Amino acid sequence: MVAPIEVTDAQVSVVAPLTAEHIEGRSPGRIAWMRLRRDKVAMGGGIVVVLLVLIAILGPYVVTSPTDAHASLVDPELSRPIHGVFHSGISGAHPLGIDVPFGRDELARIVVGARYSLLIGTLATVLSLILGVGIGVIAGYFGGWVDTVLARAMDIFLAFPLLLFSIAMVGVFPTSAFGLSGNTLRVVLLIFVIGFFNWAYPGRIIRGQVLSLREQEFVDAARAMGARPGYIIFREIMPNLVGPILVYTTLLIPINILFEAALSFLGVGIIPPTPTWGGMLSDAVEHYSVDPNLVLMPGLALLIAVVAFNVFGDGLRDAFDPRSSR
């Protein structure tokens, strides 16, 4: 005779069927966030990006003025700082040293330069995405001759000599226009030039995504129910483009930061003495042999910013990609 099996209340609760209260739905955004949190490298890059943004916003109010000169700290004959490690001018008052021949604080110049570099890079990216996403969605959804015309326009902009055109346009532009002057006008001009002529890159990516999405079943269902193109684009297609847009944003910002630095290095960026990272590298060309610190500090700032954005962007791409193994 087989003895009866006793089942405790704890065992019953384990095998009891799950109810709707036990099942928690997860949106695509939450799933992507959970995948991103497991990527420690990407999270580290995101933390650095947040710190850079805070430095750019709050830093200029904490550091000294980047235009204050301390010529007494510079040896006029050797064109290098008198004090500091390897004659870099590093001291308690100037933690990252001073520049030559003016003796301006490098930390203040890097912090203020971060504001201009991130401002121009971010707003130029926003302009590129507004144009690129709008044109890419229209080309991908409507197809036909609309797609043909817009796709050829993308090819033209992709082949456009952007650097040469930017140098020519910024270099010959008047010092005042549209009620703006000085660095305010230069910032607006740089944002327009960099952002307007870079829209074809996100435009081509979004066009490819929309070409695939418009053939999906949920779009066909909305179309069969009589939904208009505007409703389908904004309610059915655009929510599925949030991931690619976020990813491309984090990858395009460092490209635009480097582009602004290149223009400043070539002398057509922000007007001196207002500092930018590229302008600081340009100023260091004549003196880096006697004071390598002048190249090292702005170069490290550019390196950290670009790597942080790229690492975070790669992590976002993996988080939104369902085929990723992470």
Side-chain angles (χ1 to χ4, degrees):
M1 181 177 180
V2 181
I5 301 176
E6 296 183 359
V7 181
T8 63
D9 294 338
Q11 292 172 325
V12 172
S13 63
V14 170
V15 300
L18 294 176
T19 63
E21 298 178 354
H22 297 91
I23 301 175
E24 182 180 2
R26 296 176 180 175
S27 64
R30 183 173 181 182
I31 295 174
W33 168 243
M34 294 175 61
R35 294 161 64 90
L36 181 63
R37 285 194 305 175
R38 293 196 296 266
D39 190 344
K40 303 302 181 183
V41 176
M43 289 299 294
I47 292 173
V48 174
V49 169
V50 173
L51 291 177
L52 287 173
V53 173
L54 292 177
I55 290 173
I57 296 174
L58 304 176
Y61 300 105
V62 178
V63 298
T64 61
S65 173
T67 59
D68 289 346
H70 304 85
S72 60
L73 302 178
V74 179
D75 188 333
E77 296 182 0
L78 300 177
S79 295
R80 68 181 184 184
I82 298 174
H83 306 290
V85 181
F86 301 112
H87 296 281
S88 61
I90 295 177
S91 62
H94 307 288
L96 298 184
I98 57 176
D99 74 337
V100 291
F102 303 104
R104 297 171 296 193
D105 185 69
E106 283 286 277
L107 176 60
R109 288 169 59 77
I110 288 176
V111 169
V112 175
R115 167 174 287 188
Y116 282 96
S117 295
L118 291 178
L119 176 67
I120 294 172
T122 302
L123 293 184
T125 300
V126 171
L127 178 59
S128 296
L129 289 173
I130 292 175
L131 296 174
V133 171
I135 295 175
V137 168
I138 293 173
Y141 181 79
F142 291 101
W145 66 269
V146 175
D147 183 32
T148 301
V149 172
L150 295 179
R152 298 296 75 78
M154 293 179 191
D155 294 337
I156 294 173
F157 275 85
L158 289 173
F160 204 82
L162 179 57
L163 181 60
L164 296 177
F165 180 81
S166 301
I167 295 173
M169 184 174 180
V170 177
V172 302
F173 214 79
T175 57
S176 61
F178 312 112
L180 305 174
S181 61
N183 277 326
T184 303
L185 175 62
R186 189 60 62 90
V187 168
V188 173
L189 185 59
L190 288 172
I191 292 172
F192 172 77
V193 171
I194 298 174
F196 180 76
F197 292 97
N198 270 333
W199 68 265
Y201 295 96
R204 173 157 288 186
I205 293 176
I206 295 300
R207 171 182 173 271
Q209 294 284 335
V210 175
L211 286 173
S212 175
L213 288 172
R214 73 175 186 178
E215 305 298 332
Q216 298 296 320
E217 289 81 359
F218 62 90
V219 175
D220 290 336
R223 192 181 294 114
M225 294 177 64
R228 296 183 177 181
Y231 178 90
I232 295 175
I233 290 174
F234 287 103
R235 299 297 298 272
E236 303 292 342
I237 293 180
M238 290 299 296
N240 291 279
L241 298 177
V242 173
I245 291 173
L246 288 176
V247 171
Y248 205 80
T249 299
T250 57
L251 296 178
L252 189 58
I253 288 177
I255 295 176
N256 290 336
I257 290 175
L258 287 175
F259 196 88
E260 182 276 328
L263 292 177
S264 296
F265 181 83
L266 295 173
V268 290
I270 298 299
I271 302 172
T274 302
T276 61
W277 293 342
M280 293 174 66
L281 290 173
S282 179
D283 295 339
V285 169
E286 299 180 3
H287 307 283
Y288 74 91
S289 59
V290 294
D291 188 5
N293 186 64
L294 297 177
V295 173
L296 180 62
M297 293 307 170
L300 280 177
L302 268 174
L303 177 66
I304 291 172
V306 171
V307 171
F309 274 104
N310 283 331
V311 168
F312 184 59
D314 287 339
L316 275 179
R317 180 181 58 194
D318 294 334
F320 280 99
D321 186 1
R323 296 167 296 182
S324 174
S325 59
R326 295 184 183 179

